[in-house]
Amino acid sequence: MPFDVYSQAGADAKFLTEVDGGDLDAAPLPITLRRGTTAERNASNPILAAGEPAVVLDSGQPAELVLGDGVTAMADLPIVGDLTPARPPVNTLGVLGDSITDFGTASGTTFDSRNAKGYWVWALIRLRHRLRLITEAGVAGDTTAQMLDRLDSYLANGTPGWNLVLGGTNDAAGLVDLATITANLTAIYDRIADSGGRVVAVTVPPKTGASSAQNLRIAEVNRWIKQQGGTRPGLVACDVYPALVAATSGDYAAGMSADGTHPAPQGASVMGKIVADTLTPLIPALDVLPYGAVDTANLITNPLLTGTGGTVGTGGTGSVATGWQVHPDQGVASVFACSKVARTDGIAGEWQQVVVTSGQVKANFNVSGFGTTYNTGDRVYAVCEFETDADLAAATGNWFRLKLVATKPDFGDGFAGYDLDNNVDTAWPAATFVPRAGVFVTPVITVPSTATLRLAFELQRKGAGTIRVSRAGIYREGTGP
């Protein structure tokens, strides 16, 4: 209907006004509203009375509401509301930032890993991978201005439903003025929100050895970020700084960083827990784990780890789930005890428990059948549920990780994917900082033509401690739960 014609919205609509004295039995007042397409608006372009509403209705586009001021032509009025019902964000994740974000990934010619130095890696594990990572955009050395410059690339493959944004460390180090930093972050937040994503704004971590001016800039940026969480609709603020900083300085607390700038695995775990605790009540639960042996898309034929017919390797004792093996990893002399533990949460299956006294141990399931069960070019990933006890030893080079490897006939890695990998020169967190339960999901790997021996699921523990695994799977991309 053209904008120079009024339409009645409905005979049953009613306003109670001073004219009818607020009488519920008074005759309904007709409601009139200018409405039409953009073309119709442009053709008539009326001047709306002060406070008069009008709606632009284009097919397939959000309805837009404007209010007149008695002076301005309608086409020049600002839009005051999108009348399309808001959709909840999808369960996808993007991470944008500098090297603190970038440290969450590592790759080489034969591997792709999510690293224990990545705060978002720990967050996903604690969230039980209810979010699917689709964009990792951490670049070492980036300022907020450079992050803003990369935003088109970050959003090029679609806006993630949830977006972890952490920037400002390098700005503070260079004493970039506060107004510039907040303007850059505002532009990033606005662009993501306008594209349909939720922003999770993470505060800037401490910087060991920072000057008083640099510490002040970090504090100013963090104060502003926290204010956005209380004033900007849809934005969630995660304040990680207080849990990382030393009590008497602006330095990292002991164990939280190895170099004074980036979180060590222990610091990253602390950050990940804060993010996960913040997001858990906001994101619907999503079970990404196998549900039983009838799940034929799963290449692991005993996903719930039932039975006791498996194999215990040298140095081990006890019982192992049928079709599974628990043995020393990479030939390292090890002492360990295996047992089956009943689940008490009402979910089918059993836990495979391994208590490592010393050495390096893995619980693994091998999938053979190259050319039939799997083939060159298949894109596959591994997933499992785990539990730990408070006895996991913290030491340099220790790890607790999931590895999926496409193996060559000489037993070498054709290609491998890791979740929660840890470098041999990096300290593993103290047990209190390791989740008591969570879900591992490896990156998707592509099977190379050389990997004709098998696919291997390997839950690995280096160092003493108790671990349990259940509900394990290997899936082709797009076929998992």
Side-chain angles (χ1 to χ4, degrees), residues 55-415:
V55 178
V56 178
L57 298 168
D58 288 321
S59 177
Q61 299 298 316
E64 297 174 347
L65 173 68
V66 296
L67 294 177
D69 59 8
V71 177
T72 307
M74 182 179 168
D76 297 323
L77 290 170
I79 297 169
V80 297
D82 175 354
L83 302 183
T84 303
R87 294 179 298 175
V90 295
N91 281 40
T92 53
L93 176 69
V95 292
L96 176 66
D98 49 36
S99 54
I100 293 174
T101 298
D102 184 47
F103 271 27
T105 58
S107 60
T109 56
T110 60
F111 74 95
D112 188 7
S113 72
R114 294 175 182 155
N115 199 282
K117 292 181 181 179
Y119 78 96
W120 54 268
V121 176
W122 290 95
L124 281 174
I125 289 168
R126 289 183 178 273
L127 286 166
R128 303 178 67 83
H129 277 270
R130 67 182 69 181
L131 295 178
R132 179 172 57 88
L133 180 72
I134 62 171
T135 305
E136 190 281 319
V139 173
D142 257 16
T143 62
T144 55
Q146 291 167 313
M147 289 167 55
L148 178 58
D149 288 342
R150 292 191 290 111
L151 201 53
D152 283 342
S153 174
Y154 174 79
L155 299 174
N157 294 321
T159 303
W162 297 87
N163 300 265
L164 290 172
V165 179
L166 197 173
T169 292
N170 296 307
D171 299 73
L175 291 179
V176 176
D177 63 272
L178 179 63
T180 298
I181 299 171
T182 58
N184 291 335
L185 290 175
T186 295
I188 292 170
Y189 299 164
D190 285 347
R191 177 76 182 283
I192 292 172
D194 290 345
S195 300
R198 289 285 296 272
V199 174
V200 183
V202 184
T203 56
V204 180
K207 175 74 164 67
T208 298
S211 67
S212 57
Q214 291 168 332
N215 279 327
L216 176 60
R217 189 55 37 85
I218 291 173
E220 291 171 334
V221 173
N222 286 347
R223 184 181 306 113
W224 179 86
I225 289 173
K226 289 186 288 183
Q227 289 171 348
Q228 304 313 296
T231 60
R232 182 183 290 267
L235 182 141
V236 179
C238 281
D239 188 11
V240 301
Y241 183 92
L244 298 171
V245 71
T248 58
S249 71
D251 295 349
Y252 273 100
M256 296 299 172
S257 176
D259 63 7
T261 299
H262 306 92
Q266 185 160 297
S269 177
V270 168
M271 295 172 67
K273 183 178 187 304
I274 293 170
V275 172
D277 288 348
T278 302
L279 295 184
T280 293
L282 303 178
I283 303 173
L286 179 66
D287 190 357
V288 300
L289 296 164
Y291 52 83
V294 296
D295 180 6
T296 55
N298 189 355
L299 301 185
I300 291 180
T301 54
N302 184 10
L304 303 188
L305 288 98
T306 57
T308 57
T311 303
V312 181
T314 303
T317 60
S319 56
V320 173
T322 301
W324 286 76
Q325 305 172 28
V326 178
H327 52 87
D329 183 27
Q330 299 179 21
V332 175
S334 305
V335 178
F336 57 97
C338 307
S339 60
K340 301 301 299 300
V341 178
R343 298 189 69 119
T344 59
D345 55 5
I347 295 176
E350 300 170 330
W351 291 104
Q352 176 66 60
Q353 177 169 282
V354 182
V355 180
V356 182
T357 301
S358 63
Q360 184 174 323
V361 177
K362 63 183 178 183
N364 82 280
F365 191 98
N366 294 326
V367 176
S368 58
F370 179 79
T372 54
T373 305
Y374 75 98
N375 213 330
T376 300
D378 283 354
R379 290 177 52 79
V380 292
Y381 69 94
V383 58
C384 74
E385 182 179 22
F386 72 83
E387 289 185 343
T388 67
D389 287 350
D391 58 352
L392 260 65
T396 298
N398 278 6
W399 56 61
F400 176 48
R401 65 190 185 187
L402 176 60
K403 177 183 180 182
L404 172 63
V405 56
T407 310
K408 298 187 296 184
D410 62 1
F411 301 99
D413 291 358
F415 202 87

